[in-house]
Amino acid sequence: MRILITGTRSGVGQSLATQLLQRGYEVVGCSRKPASIEHGSYCHYEVDLTDASQVRDLFTDVRRRFRHLDGLINNAGVSSMNHFMMTPEAVARHIFDVNFFSVLNCCREATKLLQRSAEPAPSILNVSSVAVPWALDGQLAYSASKGAVEQMTRVMSKELAALGIRVNTIGLPPVRTVLTRTVPKEKIDNLIKRQSIERMCSMEDILGPVEFLITSQSAFVTGETLFLGGVN
Ligand SMILES: NC(=O)c1ccc[n+]([C@@H]2O[C@H](COP(=O)([O-])OP(=O)(O)OC[C@H]3O[C@@H](n4cnc5c(N)ncnc54)[C@H](OP(=O)(O)O)[C@@H]3O)[C@@H](O)[C@H]2O)c1
């Protein structure tokens, strides 16, 4: 199976790509900076996903080189923690550009390649956060952008069902990455206490649910958001 994962230079995307490569998948990755993964089945594109023309060029080249995709994982994301009164409009717009509009553009372009998949249930997997159900203070623009992604998942799952393409979201609790490095430990600990399973989510915790949602194991599942850790 060939999966395109966005944001594979670091964090969740890098770990997912590495783990899926170890399990025999072919992975196309991208981020603004050069690859941090070396593997015979890995191909990296340097792309700023907020630039729609770069997104189009990315998928045009993937189509030329590989003809089709079996899955798309929209992982690249940014956050900025601050009271909304202290958040400049440009910062909020950038968060929406990366977390919402680039996802929308990747889905549009990837659909053309997913339609060519020979897999029984090609799919798109988006990434959301506990910041949505918990309406975390200090994360207004971030949680709103991820809430929009969850709604995108529900609507797009209906619009792509006729093409045989599924769309789901995985909702992550705190994971140790660059994205969370500035969040004080006490704040992370308090979030973990709110999970039913009171421990930090590891990269290995994410792999199984991702593999389930991206493969035909979940052929009859679409429009869903699956939260890890027990988040209610
Ligand atoms: N970490 C957590 O606790 C947590 C919790 C809930 C949800 N999430 C979600 O999980 C996903 C991954 O987060 P993470 O923690 O792994 O973040 P991360 O370590 O900061 O990685 C983000 C990745 O996205 C890429 N990226 C950022 N802006 C980009 C752009 N404009 N164009 C192309 N690539 C771009 C970065 O690479 P370059 O710098 O090379 O572009 C990097 O590879 C995000 O959607 C995040 O919202 C994370």
Side-chain angles (χ1 to χ4, degrees), residues 7-13 30-33 47-50 75-78 98 127-129 142 146 172-175 177-180:
T8 44
R9 189 181 57 83
S10 60
V12 174
C30 67
S31 74
R32 289 163 301 178
K33 297 183 194 143
V47 178
D48 184 343
L49 294 167
T50 61
N75 162 79
V78 290
V98 180
V127 180
S128 186
S129 160
Y142 176 71
K146 293 295 189 181
L172 301 181
V175 190
T177 66
V178 175
L179 197 83
T180 45

Side-chain angles (χ1 to χ4, degrees), residues 58-85:
L58 159 70
F59 283 92
T60 301
D61 202 65
V62 170
R63 183 182 191 147
R64 186 184 59 76
R65 286 172 74 172
F66 305 111
R67 223 190 86 78
H68 78 280
L69 286 172
D70 303 308
L72 166 70
I73 303 178
N74 286 308
N75 162 79
V78 290
S79 80
S80 162
M81 285 197 56
N82 215 340
H83 195 286
F84 87 94
M85 294 292 284

Side-chain angles (χ1 to χ4, degrees), residues 189-205:
D189 289 345
N190 286 336
L191 292 177
I192 290 172
K193 280 195 194 120
R194 291 178 70 170
Q195 297 168 199
S196 305
I197 304 172
E198 284 188 39
R199 64 167 174 78
M200 178 71 105
C201 175
S202 73
M203 296 298 180
E204 292 72 30
D205 291 323

